[in-house]
């Protein structure tokens, strides 16, 4: 007996002791595994001429009331002894990682864990006390059986004689037969219900109706017996029961149906089953084309981001079918990177069956479909943004970062498309706004879109420069994602659409508005008067500033007066292309050592009482004091910006000295 891998064991414990109410999903999981195994076989037959599939590919469902078993079998690709060990001895790695995380956070909340990722095959242990999996890999002779009670471990052994299921016995047979030995029914748990034709039919219709292969079950039917030739006038018809293999799912691929013929709950169920999701999709898009290029597409915008969306392991793509055969599970060419979260299916008879990655990329039909797909997603998002803002904000929270990267990675060439989909936190309105909304209420004389960047929104909102901009009537976008500023740099400006003028309101012409970081040293929000005062103060205190700059050494490139500090005595800002926030983000990146640095400027407020102290120290010729003050001012300004002080010990010492 082999032991399960640790993470699998935890999951199995959970399955066995599950209080999950939807135990019946075990059937959909098994059928969907079978369907995958059939897909794999039919796909292999396309690429490998030694593999021929001439029999009908199907899934078979059976139950035995006396033995209390349910059997799910398929004539798919099958598994070797090694496959059985590898595939059923451990759960999928990515799923298990997540499982561990989830499990450490909320002990006992098994409902979510079961729902959150494809628990697949193991879900059978929610209803079964023992499970056997007999399988014969395509092209191999031996039948192997995996057996387990889900607790102690599992065995894999070669089957002989009567242990070989009939379906796998014939020469050339292949596929898998899974038998669940149901737990006894108890008051809390009714397993008997699954031992009925009616219940199994219902479950197939509910969860597996659109599986493309026939799900067949031998069902009992009744018919009138033939009327004997010598039957008299008083003949009463007699009935007999007989067995017939019936296909109990609809099989029409759901993506071929018009959306008006499908209920949303069926789409939801299909989505959850096919993509191993546990929440309904946020949006469903079904569209079709006929003519020169024909295809059916069914796309979903998920309502939550997969946990690995931003990791290297995440694979984008749509399932690509041609004439009902799955060609590629994740055809990446069908989705741009910034819509990588979309799940779905494209089925086109026009895509050639001659499958290799190269031909797919060069396939012009495929490119045409990809363009349509992108357009459809785009307009769905626009409509969500305009008609269901709440849902759109949730969408943006999940996937907005990807859209921003889309602009950044395209060096801005995708800005025109993607910028209208962006949302930012408005300091003024304390809610998310679009750039168009921001632009629509720009103050008279405002010629820039202002933003502040950092990792903490509350802190940004409290920054003196943000307050100052708001006081001038300029809203500020508070940006907390690492990509934000880099994106603004490649975007440079936002294109504001012109508006038509009517008799009361003059229209505006289309124009471009630049983005500006409110923290930038060269930002000019001051009034003419404030500027004049600042200039005078600069002129008068030239020596003071050069002395301060000297004492701060290479920490700053210059010290100067700023008229836009509000109540703050000083602040650190950056001039040039790299802002303080960008410096911080770059320092966390892979090329930290080579990352360009911000050119720091210490700006002082000539209206602040502290400034007089500086002037006094300078005119008294007290260089030590001036150095102490400069250093303190610089350090406290860093703290206000949320940046670390270079030397905390020196900072603490300076504070004490002052006291
Ligand atoms: P998942 O289907 O999410 O990968 P499962 O635990 O349900 O996880 O199944 C694990 C693996 O076992 C599958 O990926 C597949 O390789 C294999 N498997 C399960 N059922 C079958 C089957 N009926 N035929 C062939 N292989 C199967």
């Amino acid at each position: 007996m082999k032991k399960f891998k640790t993470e699998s064991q935890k999951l199995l414990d959970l399955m066995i002791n599950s209080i999950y109410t939807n135990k019946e999903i075990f059937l959909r999981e098994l059928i969907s595994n079978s369907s995958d195994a059939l897909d794999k076989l039919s796909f292999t037959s396309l690429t490998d001429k030694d593999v021929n599939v001439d029999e009908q590919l199907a899934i078979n469902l059976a139950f035995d009331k006396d033995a209390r078993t349910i059997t799910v079998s398929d004539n798919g690709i099958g598994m070797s002894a090694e496959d059985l060990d590898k595939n059923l001895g451990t759960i999928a790695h990515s799923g298990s990682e997540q499982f561990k995380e989830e499990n450490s956070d909320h002990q006992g909340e098994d409902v979510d864990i079961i729902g959150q990722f494809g628990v697949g095959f193991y879900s059978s242990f929610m209803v079964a006390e023992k499970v056997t999996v007999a399988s014969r890999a395509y092209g191999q002779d031996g039948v192997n059986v995996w057996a387990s009670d889900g607790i102690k471990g599992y065995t894999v052994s070669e089957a002989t004689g009567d242990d070989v299921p009939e379906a796998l016995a014939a020469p050339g047979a292949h596929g898998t037969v899974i038998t669940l030995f149901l737990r006894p029914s108890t008051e809390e748990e009714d397993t008997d219900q699954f031992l009925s034709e009616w219940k199994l039919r219902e479950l197939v219709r509910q969860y597996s109706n659109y599986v493309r292969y026939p799900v067949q079950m031998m069902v009992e039917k009744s018919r009138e017996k033939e009327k004997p030739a010598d039957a008299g006038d008083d003949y009463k018809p007699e009935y007999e029961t007989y067995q017939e293999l019936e296909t109990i799912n609809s099989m029409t691929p759901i993506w071929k149906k018009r959306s008006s013929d499908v209920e949303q709950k069926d789409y939801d169920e299909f989505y959850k089953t096919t993509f191993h999701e546990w929440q309904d999709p946020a949006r469903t898009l079904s569209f079709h084309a006929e003519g020169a290029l024909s295809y059916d597409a069914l796309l979903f915008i998920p309502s939550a981001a997969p946990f690995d969306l931003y990791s290297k392991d995440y694979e984008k793509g749509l399932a690509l079918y041609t004439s009902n055969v799955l060609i590629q599970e994740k055809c990446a060419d069908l989705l741009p990177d910034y819509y990588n979260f979309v799940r779905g299916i494209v089925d086109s008879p026009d895509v050639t069956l001659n499958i290799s990655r190269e031909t797919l990329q060069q396939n012009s039909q495929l490119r045409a479909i990809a363009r349509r797909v992108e357009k459809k997603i785009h307009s769905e998002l626009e409509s969500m943004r305009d008609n269901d803002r709440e849902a759109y904000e949730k969408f943006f929270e999940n996937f907005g970062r990807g859209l921003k990267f889309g602009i950044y990675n395209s060096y801005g060439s995708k800005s025109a498309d993607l910028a209208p989909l962006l949302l930012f936190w408005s300091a003024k309105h304390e809610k998310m706004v679009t750039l168009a909304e921001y632009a629509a209420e720009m103050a008279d004389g405002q010629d820039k879109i202002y933003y502040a960047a950092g990792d903490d929104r509350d802190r940004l909102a409290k920054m003196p420069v943000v307050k100052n901009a708001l006081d001038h009537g300029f809203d500020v976008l508070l940006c907390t994602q690492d990509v934000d500023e880099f994106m603004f740099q490649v975007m440079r400006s936002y294109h504001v659409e012109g508006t038509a003028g009517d008799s009361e309101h003059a229209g505006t012409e289309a124009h471009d508005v630049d983005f500006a970081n409110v923290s930038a040293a060269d930002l000019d929000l001051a009034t003419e008067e404030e500027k004049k005062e600042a200039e005078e103060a600069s002129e008068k205190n030239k020596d003071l500033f050069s002395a301060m700059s000297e004492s701060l050494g290479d920490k700053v490139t210059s010290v100067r007066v700023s008229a836009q500090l509000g109540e703050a005595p000083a602040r650190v800002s950056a001039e040039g292309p790299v802002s303080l926030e960008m410096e911080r983000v770059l320092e966390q990146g892979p090329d930290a050592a080579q990352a360009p640095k911000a050119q720091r400027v210490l700006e002082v407020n000539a209206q602040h009482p502290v400034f007089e102290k500086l002037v006094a120290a300078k005119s008294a010729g007290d260089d030590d004091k001036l150095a102490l003050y400069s250093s303190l001012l610089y350090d406290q300004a860093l703290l206000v910006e949320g940046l670390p002080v270079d030397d905390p010990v020196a900072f603490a010492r300076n504070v004490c000295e002052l006291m």
Side-chain angles (χ1 to χ4, degrees), residues 381-584:
L381 293 177
E382 280 181 328
S383 123
M384 214 166 151
R385 176 198 65 197
D386 297 340
N387 305 315
D388 188 353
R389 188 50 91 81
E390 201 180 318
Y392 189 70
E393 282 181 17
K394 198 159 162 254
F395 157 80
F396 197 79
E397 201 176 301
N398 285 322
F399 305 114
R401 187 161 168 256
L403 302 185
K404 293 172 181 175
F405 269 109
I407 295 179
Y408 178 68
N409 290 333
S410 72
Y411 302 104
S413 70
K414 280 282 158 196
S415 283
D417 282 349
L418 297 177
L421 296 178
L422 301 180
L423 293 179
F424 297 94
W425 185 264
S426 146
K428 182 168 163 191
H429 299 290
E430 301 192 335
K431 63 170 190 171
M432 299 299 266
V433 297
T434 62
L435 291 173
E437 285 158 1
Y438 182 102
E441 59 161 48
M442 274 174 40
D444 280 344
Q446 179 182 356
D447 59 357
K448 293 196 175 62
I449 295 177
Y450 295 110
Y451 67 86
D455 57 355
D456 178 347
R457 194 167 73 203
D458 289 340
R459 197 181 58 70
L460 289 176
K462 288 191 196 122
M463 273 171 39
V465 275
V466 171
K467 289 215 159 102
N468 182 42
L470 290 173
D471 288 345
H472 282 82
F474 305 154
D475 193 3
V476 180
L477 303 175
L478 304 184
C479 300
T480 51
Q481 282 181 328
D482 50 3
V483 59
D484 288 323
E485 268 198 289
F486 296 90
M487 175 190 73
F488 288 140
Q489 281 215 334
V490 304
M491 279 172 90
R492 291 220 178 83
S493 61
Y494 170 70
H495 183 75
V496 181
E497 300 287 341
T499 53
D502 56 31
S503 52
E504 268 173 82
H505 310 280
T508 52
E509 285 189 14
H511 60 289
D512 291 339
V513 195
D514 290 348
F515 292 100
N517 187 333
V518 272
S519 298
D522 44 10
L523 187 74
D524 184 11
L525 287 184
T527 60
E528 286 309 316
E529 196 182 331
E530 288 167 333
K531 266 191 250 176
K532 215 168 123 226
E533 278 174 28
E535 258 163 46
E536 280 168 17
S538 300
E539 200 52 43
K540 235 167 71 192
N541 298 287
K542 260 194 188 140
D543 293 347
L544 169 66
F545 295 136
S546 52
M548 287 176 77
S549 181
E550 203 165 302
S551 81
L552 287 170
D554 53 12
K555 288 180 183 164
V556 296
T557 48
S558 71
V559 178
R560 64 173 83 134
V561 171
S562 166
Q564 45 206 0
L565 298 187
E567 317 238 290
R571 75 168 180 138
V572 175
S573 63
E575 58 186 355
V578 182
S579 76
L580 292 170
E581 175 59 11
M582 288 165 89
E583 178 184 272
R584 195 183 68 80

